[in-house]
Amino acid sequence: MSVRSASPALDDRIARLRQLAHADARLEGVLLYGSWTLGEADAHSDIEAYLYIEDDHLADFDGPAFLAQLAPLQLAYTNMYGVLAVVFDDLMRGEFHLTAAGPGIDEVPTWQGMVHLPRPEDAVLLDRTGRLTRAARQLAAFREHEPAVTARRLTDELANWTLMLAHVLARGEVARAHALLHTVIAPQQLQLCRLLRGSTAHWLTPSRALEQDLPAADRHRYISTTAPARDREVRSAARNSWCWSRDLAAEAADRWDIRLPHALHDRIGDLLSDLH
């Protein structure tokens, strides 16, 4: 394998996976995704791959047994997304999609706009038929999001979820409001911010590399929306969050001629102000 990253351990594991895949006739293809394929892997990166199994062998393919040949496993289970998640004995994590090759490979081109493979031939570790390489090549070009449509959706999402946040806080559910603020609202704020700044490479995980990707002013606004799960701090963070959302929405509206529901936005702001 000619490609080397900042993680020799990960490089070696990928090389080993390539060897094992070629030796297992049940596999039609193997496709990597994630930080290694983007040239961003480091000592803390995990290994992420689709294992495309011949359709007739999917039911009897023992994923943990196959992966244990890479390195001893400390943990192996099917996670909340239906993905085989493992932890190797050196604490490297792995996520492996065990997928029927027939429909699975056909689905790859539909990932445009979500998955970027700048070096598709390196991401493909095994391809017995040529189908997987052809499919992966369709992800080589980075597909930008259509700005106006995406910004409109995100501004609507932020209004809807912030209204829910206000109701949850009014009910006194501080822990639930804390979770909503940080796990639902913040990622969409960061996506809208990235869209405005022209920094959408980490779209699916918009907090990734935030410290390098976004200007200091945006980072400070983001920090102001975070809080420990205590009543007063969460209420303050919620107001800061909505203020930032409105500023981002206004900037998007000016740039892409989006009509905003200002009356609704004002009422949401009033609800949050009444939570003192």
Side-chain angles (χ1 to χ4, degrees), residues 33 37 58 65 77 80-81 112 121 128 131 149 182 207 217 233 248 267 276:
Y33 66 98
T37 62
L58 181 63
Y77 75 103
M80 67 182 78
Y81 303 109
Q112 291 181 5
E121 279 75 15
R128 298 193 193 278
R131 287 201 307 138
V149 173
H182 293 88
S207 59
E233 287 92 333
L248 291 171
R267 294 179 70 185
H276 281 291

Side-chain angles (χ1 to χ4, degrees), residues 213-231:
D213 289 354
L214 294 180
D218 292 321
R219 299 199 304 270
H220 290 315
R221 293 299 296 273
Y222 169 74
I223 290 170
S224 75
T225 72
T226 65
R230 291 191 291 265
D231 185 62

Side-chain angles (χ1 to χ4, degrees), residues 17 25 37 57 64 79 103 109 115 140 143 152 172 178 195 198 205 216 239 244 249 256 258:
L17 176 58
T37 62
H57 291 287
N79 70 14
V115 177
R143 182 176 176 180
R152 177 58 190 267
H178 179 269
L195 191 69
T205 310
R239 289 189 290 272
W244 191 34
W256 295 302
I258 299 169

Side-chain angles (χ1 to χ4, degrees), residues 17 33 39 42 58 79 106 125 154 163 194 205-206 241 245 251:
L17 176 58
Y33 66 98
D42 60 21
L58 181 63
N79 70 14
D106 289 341
L125 301 186
L154 287 169
L163 177 58
R194 285 183 174 278
T205 310
S241 172
S245 290
E251 187 177 346

Side-chain angles (χ1 to χ4, degrees), residues 59-240:
D60 57 18
F61 186 85
D62 188 335
F66 174 80
L67 296 172
Q69 299 175 85
L70 288 175
L73 300 180
Q74 299 295 297
L75 180 67
Y77 75 103
T78 301
N79 70 14
M80 67 182 78
Y81 303 109
V83 178
L84 176 57
V86 303
V87 176
F88 297 102
D89 62 342
D90 58 0
L91 299 187
M92 183 185 294
R93 297 177 58 256
E95 293 185 356
F96 297 88
H97 302 250
L98 308 183
T99 306
I105 294 175
D106 289 341
E107 185 183 59
V108 172
T110 69
W111 299 348
Q112 291 181 5
M114 296 183 293
V115 177
H116 180 211
L117 298 177
R119 306 186 311 267
E121 279 75 15
D122 293 328
V124 175
L125 301 186
L126 170 69
D127 183 10
R128 298 193 193 278
T129 66
R131 287 201 307 138
L132 183 55
T133 301
R134 289 193 296 272
R137 284 174 179 158
Q138 297 187 53
L139 307 178
F142 183 71
R143 182 176 176 180
E144 295 285 353
H145 294 264
E146 204 291 311
V149 173
T150 306
R152 177 58 190 267
R153 177 183 62 80
L154 287 169
T155 58
D156 288 346
E157 291 274 23
L158 289 169
N160 177 55
W161 289 110
T162 305
L163 177 58
M164 180 178 179
L165 173 66
H167 286 308
V168 168
L169 277 172
R171 189 184 289 139
E173 294 183 278
V174 176
R176 185 182 178 194
H178 179 269
L180 184 63
L181 184 63
H182 293 88
T183 63
V184 177
I185 295 172
Q188 294 178 96
Q189 284 175 318
L190 290 174
Q191 285 185 333
L192 182 54
C193 185
R194 285 183 174 278
L195 191 69
L196 287 162
R197 306 295 172 255
S199 180
T200 57
H202 297 118
W203 186 258
L204 289 181
T205 310
S207 59
R208 180 180 174 86
L210 179 149
E211 294 81 2
Q212 291 77 46
D213 289 354
L214 294 180
D218 292 321
R219 299 199 304 270
H220 290 315
R221 293 299 296 273
Y222 169 74
I223 290 170
S224 75
T225 72
T226 65
R230 291 191 291 265
D231 185 62
R232 183 174 180 178
E233 287 92 333
V234 171
R235 291 171 190 266
S236 176
R239 289 189 290 272
N240 291 339

